[in-house]
Amino acid sequence: MSKKPVRVAVTGAAGQIGYALLFRIASGEMLGKDQPVILQLLEIPDEKAQKALKGVMMELEDCAFPLLAGMEAHGDAMTAFKDTDYALLVGARPRGPGMERKDLLSANAAIFTAQGKALDKVASRNVKVLVVGNPANTNAYIAMKSAPSLPRKNFTAMLRLDHNRALSQVAAKTGKPVAAIKKLTVWGNHSPTMYADYRFATIDGQPVKDMINDQEWNKNTFLPTVGKRGAAIIEARGLSSAASAANAAIDHMRDWALGSNGEWVTMGIPSDGQYGIPKDVMFGFPVTTQNGEYKLVEGLEIDAFSQERINLTLKELQEEQAGVAHLL
Ligand SMILES: NC(=O)C1=CN([C@@H]2O[C@H](COP(=O)(O)OP(=O)(O)OC[C@H]3O[C@@H](n4cnc5c(N)ncnc54)[C@H](O)[C@@H]3O)[C@@H](O)[C@H]2O)C=CC1
Ligand SMILES: O=C([O-])CC(=O)C(=O)O
């Protein structure tokens, strides 16, 4: 018997990430090739944006995706999020050259207060929320705090693009395929302070740390390359990453919904105090996922260098949080 359709809300649906994301959700790459979806698409209530959204919907229609069970255009979060099972909060201003993601806080924070409140009122009580719009961790924190009747664990921020970037850099350095790399993670904020960590990673059971054995490369090449990759894309393309961001959103939601088969993945999740990260800070952590739930990988050793990096990214997140306290 075919499965009951699930509702997937996507904001910023006519933007560049939206264009790289929707077709893959509708084709079953996110929730499985047997899972029908109803897309509830939100754009700003502006004639041009709504018209562009209609155009994207015409293209979705023209794909004749068997799993696309319905599709709606919205200009209001209160209708877009009605009964939604999944919410991908992409819609927000992107940065341009010379900006840091946190420079977007003043422009974007209000979006996530309003959308958190709307989710609180109308979404499924089990809604899985992924915040992509930057600064993603703090926006996810704002949305979570604005939705007090929903479980905190339902709110997550996207660190998966950083995780995937780190995988590719380690694959290039070791000459091994990305798929062979296990137990890699990225701690902290989706910003240049993030700490991509291959100390626990293995390839075919062998420790990556020993294969690389080059702390100078780790500190001066690997970490800056992964941490500043977003800016490098903006510099090269004149626009921020879109297809790779959409791909990471698909990976994040797919693993959350369908499980990671015991593998580590990185998700930005609200801390419960583990690793000395204060409760509620939306922090990138290693997790495994199963049966629609994520579970933090606990008990990892944090050496002095790692602690210093974790402290730095935590400090930045706490400053961002303090900067939005007046909205909550
Ligand atoms: N977390 C991550 O790893 C990444 C995050 N991003 C962020 O994702 C966001 C979107 O990026 P793009 O798609 O490239 O931007 P874009 O400018 O192409 O599209 C954003 C869309 O969101 C819409 N929008 C703005 N406010 C909205 C609201 N309140 N409700 C619904 N829709 C709204 C806009 O009308 C626009 O169509 C940016 O903040 C960007 O910095 C981008 C790449 C990676
Ligand atoms: O860098 C940006 O502004 C877009 C983004 O978050 C990324 O590519 O990681």
Side-chain angles (χ1 to χ4, degrees), residues 10-18 42-45 49 89-95 101 104 108 111 115 131-136 139 157-162 165 190 237 240-242 244-246 248:
V10 179
T11 74
Q16 12 158 40
I17 296 176
L42 179 64
E43 257 299 338
I44 49 172
L89 308 188
V90 178
R93 206 182 123 189
R95 66 172 167 157
R101 296 184 188 93
L104 295 169
N108 290 342
I111 296 174
Q115 293 186 355
V131 176
V132 174
N134 276 319
N139 288 336
M158 195 163 92
L159 268 291
R160 187 58 176 262
L161 180 52
D162 312 299
R165 286 168 173 165
H190 174 61
R237 239 168 63 83
S240 62
S241 62
S244 56

mmCIF file of all heavy atoms in Angstrom, residues 10-18 42-45 49 89-95 101 104 108 111 115 131-136 139 157-162 165 190 237 240-242 244-246 248, ligand 1:
data_model
loop_
_atom_site.group_PDB
_atom_site.id
_atom_site.type_symbol
_atom_site.label_atom_id
_atom_site.label_comp_id
_atom_site.label_asym_id
_atom_site.label_seq_id
_atom_site.Cartn_x
_atom_site.Cartn_y
_atom_site.Cartn_z
ATOM 1 N N VAL A 10 8.801 24.753 2.578
ATOM 2 C CA VAL A 10 10.106 25.323 2.206
ATOM 3 C C VAL A 10 9.925 26.826 2.070
ATOM 4 O O VAL A 10 9.057 27.296 1.322
ATOM 5 C CB VAL A 10 10.631 24.737 0.872
ATOM 6 C CG1 VAL A 10 11.977 25.361 0.512
ATOM 7 C CG2 VAL A 10 10.756 23.222 0.949
ATOM 8 N N THR A 11 10.746 27.589 2.793
ATOM 9 C CA THR A 11 10.677 29.045 2.676
ATOM 10 C C THR A 11 11.779 29.532 1.733
ATOM 11 O O THR A 11 12.773 28.835 1.520
ATOM 12 C CB THR A 11 10.844 29.731 4.054
ATOM 13 O OG1 THR A 11 12.223 29.644 4.434
ATOM 14 C CG2 THR A 11 9.974 29.085 5.123
ATOM 15 N N GLY A 12 11.570 30.707 1.175
ATOM 16 C CA GLY A 12 12.537 31.196 0.189
ATOM 17 C C GLY A 12 12.504 30.341 -1.054
ATOM 18 O O GLY A 12 13.518 30.142 -1.736
ATOM 19 N N ALA A 13 11.307 29.836 -1.357
ATOM 20 C CA ALA A 13 11.173 28.793 -2.380
ATOM 21 C C ALA A 13 11.521 29.273 -3.788
ATOM 22 O O ALA A 13 11.831 28.462 -4.658
ATOM 23 C CB ALA A 13 9.751 28.232 -2.344
ATOM 24 N N ALA A 14 11.489 30.578 -4.019
ATOM 25 C CA ALA A 14 11.852 31.076 -5.358
ATOM 26 C C ALA A 14 13.301 31.556 -5.419
ATOM 27 O O ALA A 14 13.737 32.105 -6.423
ATOM 28 C CB ALA A 14 10.909 32.213 -5.765
ATOM 29 N N GLY A 15 14.052 31.329 -4.344
ATOM 30 C CA GLY A 15 15.453 31.767 -4.317
ATOM 31 C C GLY A 15 16.369 30.743 -4.964
ATOM 32 O O GLY A 15 15.919 29.715 -5.472
ATOM 33 N N GLN A 16 17.680 31.043 -4.898
ATOM 34 C CA GLN A 16 18.617 30.131 -5.582
ATOM 35 C C GLN A 16 18.714 28.765 -4.918
ATOM 36 O O GLN A 16 18.760 27.759 -5.619
ATOM 37 C CB GLN A 16 20.009 30.638 -5.781
ATOM 38 C CG GLN A 16 20.635 31.821 -5.184
ATOM 39 C CD GLN A 16 22.159 31.615 -5.246
ATOM 40 O OE1 GLN A 16 22.682 31.101 -6.247
ATOM 41 N NE2 GLN A 16 22.855 31.997 -4.200
ATOM 42 N N ILE A 17 18.713 28.712 -3.612
ATOM 43 C CA ILE A 17 18.765 27.390 -2.965
ATOM 44 C C ILE A 17 17.456 26.648 -3.234
ATOM 45 O O ILE A 17 17.455 25.465 -3.557
ATOM 46 C CB ILE A 17 19.051 27.503 -1.450
ATOM 47 C CG1 ILE A 17 20.442 28.113 -1.233
ATOM 48 C CG2 ILE A 17 18.944 26.152 -0.767
ATOM 49 C CD1 ILE A 17 20.810 28.373 0.219
ATOM 50 N N GLY A 18 16.340 27.382 -3.128
ATOM 51 C CA GLY A 18 15.035 26.774 -3.404
ATOM 52 C C GLY A 18 15.017 26.085 -4.762
ATOM 53 O O GLY A 18 14.521 24.960 -4.901
ATOM 54 N N LEU A 42 6.710 28.882 0.659
ATOM 55 C CA LEU A 42 6.535 30.241 1.180
ATOM 56 C C LEU A 42 7.512 31.193 0.505
ATOM 57 O O LEU A 42 8.698 30.911 0.407
ATOM 58 C CB LEU A 42 6.775 30.252 2.701
ATOM 59 C CG LEU A 42 6.654 31.604 3.407
ATOM 60 C CD1 LEU A 42 5.233 32.160 3.316
ATOM 61 C CD2 LEU A 42 7.074 31.493 4.872
ATOM 62 N N GLU A 43 6.958 32.302 0.061
ATOM 63 C CA GLU A 43 7.784 33.421 -0.427
ATOM 64 C C GLU A 43 7.230 34.706 0.156
ATOM 65 O O GLU A 43 6.130 34.734 0.696
ATOM 66 C CB GLU A 43 7.766 33.487 -1.963
ATOM 67 C CG GLU A 43 9.019 32.936 -2.632
ATOM 68 C CD GLU A 43 10.328 33.672 -2.249
ATOM 69 O OE1 GLU A 43 10.268 34.837 -1.804
ATOM 70 O OE2 GLU A 43 11.398 33.092 -2.396
ATOM 71 N N ILE A 44 8.004 35.765 0.095
ATOM 72 C CA ILE A 44 7.507 37.037 0.617
ATOM 73 C C ILE A 44 6.265 37.457 -0.191
ATOM 74 O O ILE A 44 6.157 37.140 -1.381
ATOM 75 C CB ILE A 44 8.601 38.139 0.580
ATOM 76 C CG1 ILE A 44 9.286 38.198 -0.789
ATOM 77 C CG2 ILE A 44 9.622 37.917 1.662
ATOM 78 C CD1 ILE A 44 10.226 39.376 -0.942
ATOM 79 N N PRO A 45 5.329 38.137 0.461
ATOM 80 C CA PRO A 45 4.092 38.521 -0.228
ATOM 81 C C PRO A 45 4.319 39.718 -1.149
ATOM 82 O O PRO A 45 3.767 40.788 -0.947
ATOM 83 C CB PRO A 45 3.139 38.843 0.931
ATOM 84 C CG PRO A 45 4.018 39.223 2.059
ATOM 85 C CD PRO A 45 5.325 38.526 1.877
ATOM 86 N N ALA A 49 8.165 38.209 -6.300
ATOM 87 C CA ALA A 49 8.580 36.938 -5.679
ATOM 88 C C ALA A 49 7.502 35.867 -5.883
ATOM 89 O O ALA A 49 7.801 34.710 -6.202
ATOM 90 C CB ALA A 49 8.845 37.143 -4.190
ATOM 91 N N LEU A 89 13.784 26.072 6.489
ATOM 92 C CA LEU A 89 13.732 27.534 6.551
ATOM 93 C C LEU A 89 14.964 28.105 5.837
ATOM 94 O O LEU A 89 16.028 28.270 6.423
ATOM 95 C CB LEU A 89 13.645 28.006 8.006
ATOM 96 C CG LEU A 89 12.537 27.368 8.855
ATOM 97 C CD1 LEU A 89 12.427 28.073 10.212
ATOM 98 C CD2 LEU A 89 11.187 27.379 8.146
ATOM 99 N N VAL A 90 14.761 28.356 4.570
ATOM 100 C CA VAL A 90 15.850 28.805 3.688
ATOM 101 C C VAL A 90 15.756 30.315 3.454
ATOM 102 O O VAL A 90 16.767 31.002 3.334
ATOM 103 C CB VAL A 90 15.769 28.055 2.331
ATOM 104 C CG1 VAL A 90 16.861 28.531 1.384
ATOM 105 C CG2 VAL A 90 15.842 26.545 2.531
ATOM 106 N N GLY A 91 14.541 30.819 3.392
ATOM 107 C CA GLY A 91 14.302 32.208 2.993
ATOM 108 C C GLY A 91 14.932 33.217 3.933
ATOM 109 O O GLY A 91 14.552 33.315 5.097
ATOM 110 N N ALA A 92 15.896 33.947 3.446
ATOM 111 C CA ALA A 92 16.600 34.977 4.212
ATOM 112 C C ALA A 92 17.547 35.652 3.238
ATOM 113 O O ALA A 92 17.808 35.126 2.164
ATOM 114 C CB ALA A 92 17.387 34.357 5.357
ATOM 115 N N ARG A 93 18.064 36.785 3.668
ATOM 116 C CA ARG A 93 19.002 37.480 2.783
ATOM 117 C C ARG A 93 20.357 36.748 2.779
ATOM 118 O O ARG A 93 20.844 36.371 3.840
ATOM 119 C CB ARG A 93 19.193 38.900 3.325
ATOM 120 C CG ARG A 93 19.586 39.890 2.281
ATOM 121 C CD ARG A 93 19.800 41.236 2.925
ATOM 122 N NE ARG A 93 21.145 41.668 2.617
ATOM 123 C CZ ARG A 93 21.725 42.722 3.150
ATOM 124 N NH1 ARG A 93 21.109 43.447 4.037
ATOM 125 N NH2 ARG A 93 22.933 43.049 2.788
ATOM 126 N N PRO A 94 20.966 36.538 1.614
ATOM 127 C CA PRO A 94 22.324 35.981 1.606
ATOM 128 C C PRO A 94 23.371 37.077 1.738
ATOM 129 O O PRO A 94 23.077 38.249 1.520
ATOM 130 C CB PRO A 94 22.422 35.311 0.232
ATOM 131 C CG PRO A 94 21.431 36.008 -0.634
ATOM 132 C CD PRO A 94 20.435 36.704 0.248
ATOM 133 N N ARG A 95 24.589 36.713 2.099
ATOM 134 C CA ARG A 95 25.634 37.732 2.202
ATOM 135 C C ARG A 95 26.289 37.961 0.851
ATOM 136 O O ARG A 95 26.224 37.121 -0.053
ATOM 137 C CB ARG A 95 26.681 37.347 3.250
ATOM 138 C CG ARG A 95 27.500 36.125 2.925
ATOM 139 C CD ARG A 95 28.619 35.955 3.941
ATOM 140 N NE ARG A 95 29.223 34.631 3.834
ATOM 141 C CZ ARG A 95 30.447 34.341 4.254
ATOM 142 N NH1 ARG A 95 31.201 35.266 4.805
ATOM 143 N NH2 ARG A 95 30.928 33.122 4.138
ATOM 144 N N ARG A 101 28.692 36.131 7.962
ATOM 145 C CA ARG A 101 27.288 35.697 8.054
ATOM 146 C C ARG A 101 26.565 36.408 9.193
ATOM 147 O O ARG A 101 25.386 36.696 9.108
ATOM 148 C CB ARG A 101 27.215 34.184 8.216
ATOM 149 C CG ARG A 101 27.764 33.448 7.003
ATOM 150 C CD ARG A 101 27.577 31.950 7.160
ATOM 151 N NE ARG A 101 28.260 31.209 6.105
ATOM 152 C CZ ARG A 101 29.499 30.749 6.220
ATOM 153 N NH1 ARG A 101 30.185 30.919 7.336
ATOM 154 N NH2 ARG A 101 30.048 30.086 5.222
ATOM 155 N N LEU A 104 24.406 39.448 8.836
ATOM 156 C CA LEU A 104 23.024 39.308 8.349
ATOM 157 C C LEU A 104 22.011 39.265 9.487
ATOM 158 O O LEU A 104 20.804 39.295 9.249
ATOM 159 C CB LEU A 104 22.882 38.015 7.539
ATOM 160 C CG LEU A 104 23.678 37.936 6.236
ATOM 161 C CD1 LEU A 104 23.656 36.508 5.703
ATOM 162 C CD2 LEU A 104 23.075 38.888 5.202
ATOM 163 N N ASN A 108 17.994 39.435 9.153
ATOM 164 C CA ASN A 108 17.284 38.147 9.081
ATOM 165 C C ASN A 108 16.611 37.687 10.370
ATOM 166 O O ASN A 108 15.710 36.851 10.322
ATOM 167 C CB ASN A 108 18.243 37.055 8.603
ATOM 168 C CG ASN A 108 18.620 37.214 7.132
ATOM 169 O OD1 ASN A 108 17.931 37.913 6.392
ATOM 170 N ND2 ASN A 108 19.686 36.579 6.711
ATOM 171 N N ILE A 111 12.797 37.505 10.760
ATOM 172 C CA ILE A 111 12.125 36.455 9.966
ATOM 173 C C ILE A 111 11.917 35.215 10.838
ATOM 174 O O ILE A 111 10.865 34.570 10.823
ATOM 175 C CB ILE A 111 12.990 36.066 8.744
ATOM 176 C CG1 ILE A 111 13.155 37.240 7.782
ATOM 177 C CG2 ILE A 111 12.421 34.842 8.040
ATOM 178 C CD1 ILE A 111 14.127 36.964 6.624
ATOM 179 N N GLN A 115 8.616 33.243 12.084
ATOM 180 C CA GLN A 115 8.401 31.880 11.582
ATOM 181 C C GLN A 115 8.393 30.864 12.725
ATOM 182 O O GLN A 115 7.653 29.880 12.674
ATOM 183 C CB GLN A 115 9.439 31.548 10.503
ATOM 184 C CG GLN A 115 9.188 32.422 9.261
ATOM 185 C CD GLN A 115 10.058 32.096 8.070
ATOM 186 O OE1 GLN A 115 10.954 31.263 8.150
ATOM 187 N NE2 GLN A 115 9.794 32.758 6.958
ATOM 188 N N VAL A 131 17.097 24.926 9.777
ATOM 189 C CA VAL A 131 17.343 26.319 9.400
ATOM 190 C C VAL A 131 18.600 26.396 8.549
ATOM 191 O O VAL A 131 19.679 25.951 8.962
ATOM 192 C CB VAL A 131 17.464 27.222 10.643
ATOM 193 C CG1 VAL A 131 17.818 28.645 10.221
ATOM 194 C CG2 VAL A 131 16.149 27.221 11.420
ATOM 195 N N VAL A 132 18.423 26.958 7.356
ATOM 196 C CA VAL A 132 19.520 27.133 6.398
ATOM 197 C C VAL A 132 19.905 28.610 6.322
ATOM 198 O O VAL A 132 21.085 28.962 6.209
ATOM 199 C CB VAL A 132 19.095 26.606 4.998
ATOM 200 C CG1 VAL A 132 20.160 26.905 3.948
ATOM 201 C CG2 VAL A 132 18.792 25.117 5.051
ATOM 202 N N GLY A 133 18.918 29.493 6.389
ATOM 203 C CA GLY A 133 19.154 30.943 6.272
ATOM 204 C C GLY A 133 20.175 31.421 7.297
ATOM 205 O O GLY A 133 20.114 31.032 8.462
ATOM 206 N N ASN A 134 21.087 32.248 6.879
ATOM 207 C CA ASN A 134 22.199 32.670 7.747
ATOM 208 C C ASN A 134 21.895 33.883 8.614
ATOM 209 O O ASN A 134 21.102 34.722 8.205
ATOM 210 C CB ASN A 134 23.418 32.977 6.875
ATOM 211 C CG ASN A 134 24.200 31.723 6.566
ATOM 212 O OD1 ASN A 134 24.387 30.880 7.431
ATOM 213 N ND2 ASN A 134 24.648 31.612 5.315
ATOM 214 N N PRO A 135 22.549 34.006 9.768
ATOM 215 C CA PRO A 135 23.456 33.028 10.380
ATOM 216 C C PRO A 135 22.657 31.849 10.949
ATOM 217 O O PRO A 135 21.850 32.040 11.881
ATOM 218 C CB PRO A 135 24.162 33.826 11.480
ATOM 219 C CG PRO A 135 23.227 34.941 11.819
ATOM 220 C CD PRO A 135 22.420 35.239 10.583
ATOM 221 N N ALA A 136 22.872 30.667 10.390
ATOM 222 C CA ALA A 136 21.950 29.546 10.559
ATOM 223 C C ALA A 136 21.789 29.123 12.025
ATOM 224 O O ALA A 136 20.668 28.875 12.469
ATOM 225 C CB ALA A 136 22.419 28.371 9.706
ATOM 226 N N ASN A 139 19.782 31.796 13.932
ATOM 227 C CA ASN A 139 18.406 31.838 13.446
ATOM 228 C C ASN A 139 17.614 30.626 13.951
ATOM 229 O O ASN A 139 16.434 30.742 14.292
ATOM 230 C CB ASN A 139 18.369 31.894 11.918
ATOM 231 C CG ASN A 139 18.819 33.250 11.383
ATOM 232 O OD1 ASN A 139 18.743 34.252 12.094
ATOM 233 N ND2 ASN A 139 19.286 33.289 10.148
ATOM 234 N N ALA A 157 20.079 23.340 12.968
ATOM 235 C CA ALA A 157 20.735 24.270 12.037
ATOM 236 C C ALA A 157 21.642 23.474 11.104
ATOM 237 O O ALA A 157 22.135 22.404 11.461
ATOM 238 C CB ALA A 157 21.557 25.287 12.810
ATOM 239 N N MET A 158 21.873 24.040 9.921
ATOM 240 C CA MET A 158 22.637 23.291 8.917
ATOM 241 C C MET A 158 24.143 23.477 9.053
ATOM 242 O O MET A 158 24.674 24.535 8.778
ATOM 243 C CB MET A 158 22.198 23.675 7.507
ATOM 244 C CG MET A 158 22.703 22.643 6.492
ATOM 245 S SD MET A 158 21.856 22.745 4.941
ATOM 246 C CE MET A 158 22.928 23.867 4.058
ATOM 247 N N LEU A 159 24.798 22.405 9.484
ATOM 248 C CA LEU A 159 26.264 22.330 9.497
ATOM 249 C C LEU A 159 26.734 21.300 8.480
ATOM 250 O O LEU A 159 27.926 21.043 8.356
ATOM 251 C CB LEU A 159 26.746 21.912 10.899
ATOM 252 C CG LEU A 159 27.097 22.989 11.935
ATOM 253 C CD1 LEU A 159 28.350 23.749 11.556
ATOM 254 C CD2 LEU A 159 25.968 23.933 12.219
ATOM 255 N N ARG A 160 25.778 20.724 7.741
ATOM 256 C CA ARG A 160 26.122 19.603 6.877
ATOM 257 C C ARG A 160 26.973 20.022 5.681
ATOM 258 O O ARG A 160 27.794 19.252 5.189
ATOM 259 C CB ARG A 160 24.836 18.915 6.403
ATOM 260 C CG ARG A 160 25.044 17.635 5.625
ATOM 261 C CD ARG A 160 25.825 16.579 6.426
ATOM 262 N NE ARG A 160 25.927 15.342 5.694
ATOM 263 C CZ ARG A 160 25.125 14.290 5.874
ATOM 264 N NH1 ARG A 160 24.171 14.327 6.774
ATOM 265 N NH2 ARG A 160 25.286 13.189 5.175
ATOM 266 N N LEU A 161 26.796 21.260 5.246
ATOM 267 C CA LEU A 161 27.629 21.720 4.136
ATOM 268 C C LEU A 161 29.088 21.769 4.591
ATOM 269 O O LEU A 161 29.996 21.373 3.857
ATOM 270 C CB LEU A 161 27.134 23.095 3.655
ATOM 271 C CG LEU A 161 27.874 23.741 2.490
ATOM 272 C CD1 LEU A 161 27.993 22.810 1.285
ATOM 273 C CD2 LEU A 161 27.161 25.036 2.072
ATOM 274 N N ASP A 162 29.315 22.203 5.811
ATOM 275 C CA ASP A 162 30.674 22.244 6.358
ATOM 276 C C ASP A 162 31.218 20.821 6.503
ATOM 277 O O ASP A 162 32.380 20.551 6.190
ATOM 278 C CB ASP A 162 30.654 22.958 7.718
ATOM 279 C CG ASP A 162 29.875 24.257 7.625
ATOM 280 O OD1 ASP A 162 30.288 25.120 6.837
ATOM 281 O OD2 ASP A 162 28.831 24.393 8.285
ATOM 282 N N ARG A 165 32.083 19.602 3.078
ATOM 283 C CA ARG A 165 33.311 20.274 2.619
ATOM 284 C C ARG A 165 34.537 19.638 3.264
ATOM 285 O O ARG A 165 35.567 19.425 2.613
ATOM 286 C CB ARG A 165 33.239 21.767 2.966
ATOM 287 C CG ARG A 165 32.286 22.541 2.088
ATOM 288 C CD ARG A 165 32.017 23.941 2.638
ATOM 289 N NE ARG A 165 31.220 24.721 1.685
ATOM 290 C CZ ARG A 165 30.593 25.836 1.991
ATOM 291 N NH1 ARG A 165 30.645 26.328 3.232
ATOM 292 N NH2 ARG A 165 29.903 26.482 1.068
ATOM 293 N N HIS A 190 28.205 27.701 12.151
ATOM 294 C CA HIS A 190 28.401 27.758 10.698
ATOM 295 C C HIS A 190 28.995 29.128 10.364
ATOM 296 O O HIS A 190 28.290 30.050 9.964
ATOM 297 C CB HIS A 190 27.070 27.522 9.981
ATOM 298 C CG HIS A 190 27.149 27.692 8.494
ATOM 299 N ND1 HIS A 190 27.956 26.920 7.701
ATOM 300 C CD2 HIS A 190 26.548 28.572 7.653
ATOM 301 C CE1 HIS A 190 27.842 27.299 6.447
ATOM 302 N NE2 HIS A 190 26.998 28.311 6.384
ATOM 303 N N ARG A 237 31.934 32.941 -7.609
ATOM 304 C CA ARG A 237 30.667 32.901 -8.347
ATOM 305 C C ARG A 237 29.946 34.238 -8.367
ATOM 306 O O ARG A 237 29.046 34.455 -9.175
ATOM 307 C CB ARG A 237 29.738 31.892 -7.626
ATOM 308 C CG ARG A 237 29.270 30.729 -8.466
ATOM 309 C CD ARG A 237 28.612 29.658 -7.591
ATOM 310 N NE ARG A 237 27.392 30.080 -6.897
ATOM 311 C CZ ARG A 237 26.172 30.093 -7.435
ATOM 312 N NH1 ARG A 237 25.990 29.744 -8.686
ATOM 313 N NH2 ARG A 237 25.132 30.460 -6.725
ATOM 314 N N SER A 240 26.351 33.424 -3.370
ATOM 315 C CA SER A 240 26.710 32.400 -2.387
ATOM 316 C C SER A 240 26.273 31.020 -2.879
ATOM 317 O O SER A 240 25.444 30.887 -3.784
ATOM 318 C CB SER A 240 26.145 32.734 -1.005
ATOM 319 O OG SER A 240 24.759 32.776 -1.003
ATOM 320 N N SER A 241 26.877 30.017 -2.261
ATOM 321 C CA SER A 241 26.669 28.628 -2.686
ATOM 322 C C SER A 241 25.178 28.302 -2.680
ATOM 323 O O SER A 241 24.454 28.738 -1.786
ATOM 324 C CB SER A 241 27.412 27.683 -1.752
ATOM 325 O OG SER A 241 26.903 27.805 -0.450
ATOM 326 N N ALA A 242 24.741 27.550 -3.652
ATOM 327 C CA ALA A 242 23.314 27.231 -3.721
ATOM 328 C C ALA A 242 23.103 25.729 -3.919
ATOM 329 O O ALA A 242 22.439 25.087 -3.112
ATOM 330 C CB ALA A 242 22.648 28.022 -4.836
ATOM 331 N N SER A 244 25.246 23.271 -3.647
ATOM 332 C CA SER A 244 25.886 22.484 -2.580
ATOM 333 C C SER A 244 25.136 22.683 -1.261
ATOM 334 O O SER A 244 25.075 21.762 -0.435
ATOM 335 C CB SER A 244 27.366 22.848 -2.433
ATOM 336 O OG SER A 244 27.521 24.238 -2.208
ATOM 337 N N ALA A 245 24.560 23.870 -1.065
ATOM 338 C CA ALA A 245 23.767 24.115 0.143
ATOM 339 C C ALA A 245 22.487 23.283 0.096
ATOM 340 O O ALA A 245 22.094 22.653 1.084
ATOM 341 C CB ALA A 245 23.437 25.598 0.260
ATOM 342 N N ALA A 246 21.836 23.254 -1.064
ATOM 343 C CA ALA A 246 20.616 22.442 -1.217
ATOM 344 C C ALA A 246 20.944 20.969 -1.011
ATOM 345 O O ALA A 246 20.202 20.232 -0.353
ATOM 346 C CB ALA A 246 20.009 22.662 -2.597
ATOM 347 N N ALA A 248 23.293 19.732 0.821
ATOM 348 C CA ALA A 248 23.520 19.491 2.251
ATOM 349 C C ALA A 248 22.192 19.443 3.008
ATOM 350 O O ALA A 248 22.027 18.650 3.942
ATOM 351 C CB ALA A 248 24.423 20.577 2.825
HETATM 352 N N1 LIG B 1 23.606 27.188 6.352
HETATM 353 C C1 LIG B 1 24.269 27.101 5.217
HETATM 354 O O1 LIG B 1 25.167 26.234 5.077
HETATM 355 C C2 LIG B 1 23.988 28.007 4.064
HETATM 356 C C3 LIG B 1 23.107 29.048 4.190
HETATM 357 N N2 LIG B 1 22.847 29.896 3.156
HETATM 358 C C4 LIG B 1 21.881 30.973 3.394
HETATM 359 O O2 LIG B 1 20.606 30.606 2.848
HETATM 360 C C5 LIG B 1 19.834 31.786 2.634
HETATM 361 C C6 LIG B 1 19.172 31.758 1.261
HETATM 362 O O3 LIG B 1 20.144 31.801 0.268
HETATM 363 P P1 LIG B 1 19.762 31.922 -1.283
HETATM 364 O O4 LIG B 1 18.698 30.957 -1.651
HETATM 365 O O5 LIG B 1 21.037 31.897 -2.004
HETATM 366 O O6 LIG B 1 19.187 33.408 -1.311
HETATM 367 P P2 LIG B 1 18.224 34.090 -2.411
HETATM 368 O O7 LIG B 1 18.279 35.550 -2.175
HETATM 369 O O8 LIG B 1 18.516 33.546 -3.758
HETATM 370 O O9 LIG B 1 16.816 33.532 -1.990
HETATM 371 C C7 LIG B 1 16.238 33.830 -0.763
HETATM 372 C C8 LIG B 1 14.739 33.847 -0.995
HETATM 373 O O10 LIG B 1 14.126 33.959 0.273
HETATM 374 C C9 LIG B 1 13.007 34.812 0.121
HETATM 375 N N3 LIG B 1 12.642 35.352 1.428
HETATM 376 C C10 LIG B 1 13.197 36.382 2.108
HETATM 377 N N4 LIG B 1 12.553 36.569 3.262
HETATM 378 C C11 LIG B 1 11.603 35.633 3.336
HETATM 379 C C12 LIG B 1 10.600 35.334 4.290
HETATM 380 N N5 LIG B 1 10.459 36.040 5.411
HETATM 381 N N6 LIG B 1 9.778 34.290 4.045
HETATM 382 C C13 LIG B 1 9.902 33.566 2.929
HETATM 383 N N7 LIG B 1 10.813 33.815 1.971
HETATM 384 C C14 LIG B 1 11.651 34.830 2.179
HETATM 385 C C15 LIG B 1 13.453 35.864 -0.883
HETATM 386 O O11 LIG B 1 12.344 36.498 -1.503
HETATM 387 C C16 LIG B 1 14.262 35.027 -1.859
HETATM 388 O O12 LIG B 1 13.480 34.526 -2.920
HETATM 389 C C17 LIG B 1 20.808 32.955 2.845
HETATM 390 O O13 LIG B 1 20.614 33.486 4.149
HETATM 391 C C18 LIG B 1 22.162 32.301 2.728
HETATM 392 O O14 LIG B 1 23.174 33.026 3.391
HETATM 393 C C19 LIG B 1 23.450 29.731 1.949
HETATM 394 C C20 LIG B 1 24.344 28.701 1.765
HETATM 395 C C21 LIG B 1 24.689 27.781 2.804
#
